[in-house]
Amino acid sequence: MLTIYSDDHLLHHGAAELYRGQLVPCFESPARAEHVLDAVRAAGLGAVLPPDQFDRGALTRVHADDYVAFLETAWDEWQALGETGDALPYVWPAGALRRDVPPTHIDGKLGFYSIDAAVPIMAGTWGAARAAADVALTAAQRLIDGDATAFALCRPPGHHAGARAMGGFCYLNNAAIAAQHLRDHGARRVAILDVDYHHGNGTQSIFYDRGDVFFASLHGDPAVEYPFFLGYHDECGVGEGTGANRNFPLPWGTTGPEYLAALDLAMADIAAFGPDMIVVSLGVDTFAEDPISHFKLRDNDFTQIGQRIARLGRPTLFVMEGGYAVAQIGTNVVAVLTGFAG
């Protein structure tokens, strides 16, 4: 299995995020990708290659142009104020506040284009996010060119980023960008399977009114779990997308067998949709020892996730998302990939 990876992810290393009333060291750190890379190489999965560079238009196929422009310039605008620390939002257009007028001041922009305060921006954030999108696009192109599978080792992750908002450590939605690239280059239908512990709210919202991209997500129940405001069972798509969205919210303490039973239901839905290609948002924060999650999956459960996905028999792109038990993240990712590869 080919892996696409860029060490430009090292450009992004947030100092702190706001978590339960405190500024704490970011759970999403460069060590995550490095541990996964080490495990991929140790397992001998295959070649590790750098990404090609794609034009900005590949991003604006799923993200609003003004949002991409914000990401491109946010650090320079922050520095122009004389600030030296990371840029973080502190006010949001919630409730009755207006969302139709983007502010011109960087403090206002940070809130306008975010859903939370877990998205620090620093000098290297745009470069890292841009490289992560190129990683996903390069891996997607390999499927278009005939490869059966590829692993996009993206960092920062992407599935919480919407068309016009960052959040949950995510700036550009790598899985959505890759899925759109597959659609633009021959795939009639694409299915996105999100197995991250947290609901892929950004991915869902991007494709919610479309019938050509099916989205299925297994995740912590949003009644008690981030992102709280999306990911419920009754969200099934709208307009042409009606029936092309499937959520499986699961309770805290969900075990491997319980998770795999829900995954079987998602697999049946994807098979019925009949995709030409599959994109997997691969988060392994379902692991029992993850510091910010509440599922109970263990090593063999991750192997079985890969095996089940393989049974669909479609060209499949794995895109790295979450997983914050850093010491075990590589082992768990490789378990999924080797399970898939048989």
Side-chain angles (χ1 to χ4, degrees):
M1 179 182 295
L2 180 71
T3 295
I4 309 297
Y5 162 85
S6 170
D7 59 12
D8 281 353
H9 80 88
L10 297 166
L11 298 170
H12 175 71
H13 190 180
E17 64 179 89
L18 182 63
Y19 182 71
R20 293 181 177 168
Q22 297 184 32
L23 280 175
V24 301
C26 291
F27 290 100
E28 203 291 296
S29 68
R32 299 175 59 251
E34 296 303 292
H35 276 268
V36 174
L37 181 64
D38 289 345
V40 164
R41 285 175 166 157
L45 283 183
V48 178
L49 300 178
D52 298 322
Q53 291 187 330
F54 289 76
D55 63 35
R56 188 177 185 276
L59 310 182
T60 56
R61 291 289 288 136
V62 299
H63 289 291
D65 184 79
D66 63 302
Y67 172 63
V68 175
F70 156 74
L71 292 175
E72 289 172 323
T73 63
W75 178 248
D76 290 339
E77 293 184 52
W78 183 251
Q79 278 200 310
L81 297 178
E83 303 289 352
T84 56
D86 295 351
L88 276 174
Y90 71 89
V91 60
W92 292 268
L97 299 180
R98 294 184 65 172
R99 295 194 58 87
D100 60 326
V101 184
T104 58
H105 193 282
I106 185 59
D107 283 331
K109 289 182 180 180
L110 287 165
F112 186 84
Y113 292 114
S114 68
I115 64 171
D116 59 37
V119 277
I121 290 178
M122 65 218 64
T125 298
W126 171 245
R130 188 71 178 82
D134 281 340
V135 165
L137 286 162
T138 302
Q141 186 62 45
R142 293 301 294 247
L143 262 63
I144 294 164
D145 292 341
D147 285 12
T149 186
F151 173 41
L153 180 41
C154 297
R155 182 184 170 269
H159 71 151
H160 294 307
R164 213 180 182 197
M166 57 186 183
F169 316 136
C170 303
Y171 303 87
L172 295 172
N173 195 313
N174 307 308
I177 291 167
Q180 185 61 53
H181 187 74
L182 294 174
R183 281 287 294 114
D184 289 341
H185 293 83
R188 183 179 58 91
R189 287 187 162 197
V190 174
I192 302 175
L193 171 65
D194 194 321
V195 296
D196 189 279
Y197 173 77
H198 302 94
H199 178 252
N201 57 287
T203 313
Q204 172 175 304
S205 64
I206 287 168
F207 296 112
Y208 201 60
D209 61 353
R210 290 174 51 175
D212 59 332
V213 178
F214 186 91
F215 178 71
S217 177
L218 288 75
H219 50 269
D221 189 340
V224 296
E225 191 56 83
Y226 181 93
F228 297 108
F229 309 113
L230 216 59
Y232 290 89
H233 187 268
D234 63 350
E235 297 160 10
C236 299
V238 295
E240 293 181 2
T242 300
N245 197 89
R246 190 82 158 90
N247 286 322
F248 297 86
L250 301 170
W252 283 1
T254 291
T255 64
E258 293 166 335
Y259 185 92
L260 293 170
L263 181 59
D264 285 338
L265 297 176
M267 294 293 96
D269 288 337
I270 291 172
F273 178 73
D276 300 311
M277 295 182 178
I278 296 168
V279 176
V280 179
S281 273
L282 179 55
V284 293
D285 41 0
T286 51
F287 182 52
E289 297 174 27
D290 194 275
I292 59 174
S293 305
H294 299 278
F295 285 176
K296 302 299 180 184
L297 274 64
R298 293 287 179 182
D299 297 0
N300 188 54
D301 299 319
F302 292 106
T303 302
Q304 292 189 58
I305 289 171
Q307 291 171 344
R308 279 165 163 78
I309 296 170
R311 291 173 194 161
L312 291 169
R314 300 291 196 278
T316 301
L317 168 61
F318 292 89
V319 178
M320 190 69 215
E321 301 286 3
Y324 308 100
V326 176
Q328 295 92 353
I329 186 173
T331 299
N332 294 335
V333 168
V334 166
V336 176
L337 300 178
T338 55
F340 178 88

